[in-house]
Amino acid sequence: MKLVGVYSDTPEVVTSILEMFRDIASMEITFLSTPQFLAFTQQCLKLVQAYGEYNRKRLVEFKISNKSRNKELDDERFTDIQTLLQLLSH
């Protein structure tokens, strides 16, 4: 998913992308035709893969920077993961 790569330096945008896909999956998926459903699920798979790469890079950058963990970073990471899990549950 190119959007996650383009906006990887802006966690809020990455979270918004995940939320958009989650919302589409929860509200619109029953209205998709079979080809549309297959295309959407392929895009979701690409999104999950891109998010995994994004999160891996973010973790490496965090370890390299030697910053102490703070609550905001933990909350942000859990928000991303929670949204991703909600997408996968639909």
Side-chain angles (χ1 to χ4, degrees), residues 50-63:
Y51 177 76
E53 182 66 21
Y54 155 78
N55 217 21
R56 185 186 63 77
K57 286 180 182 177
R58 197 168 68 162
L59 182 60
V60 168
E61 289 171 3
F62 178 75
K63 286 182 178 181

Side-chain angles (χ1 to χ4, degrees), residues 18-54:
L18 291 169
E19 289 171 346
M20 178 187 69
F21 272 79
R22 179 204 57 202
D23 293 345
I24 291 170
S26 68
M27 293 184 277
E28 302 294 330
I29 205 160
T30 57
F31 301 109
L32 299 177
S33 66
T34 301
Q36 290 172 329
F37 174 78
L38 293 173
F40 180 71
T41 55
Q42 286 296 321
Q43 290 303 312
C44 286
L45 178 60
K46 289 179 183 179
L47 176 64
V48 169
Q49 291 169 337
Y51 177 76
E53 182 66 21
Y54 155 78

Side-chain angles (χ1 to χ4, degrees), residues 22 25 44 48 83-90:
R22 179 204 57 202
C44 286
V48 169
T83 305
L84 184 65
L85 289 173
Q86 289 170 343
L87 169 63
L88 294 173
S89 71
H90 293 292

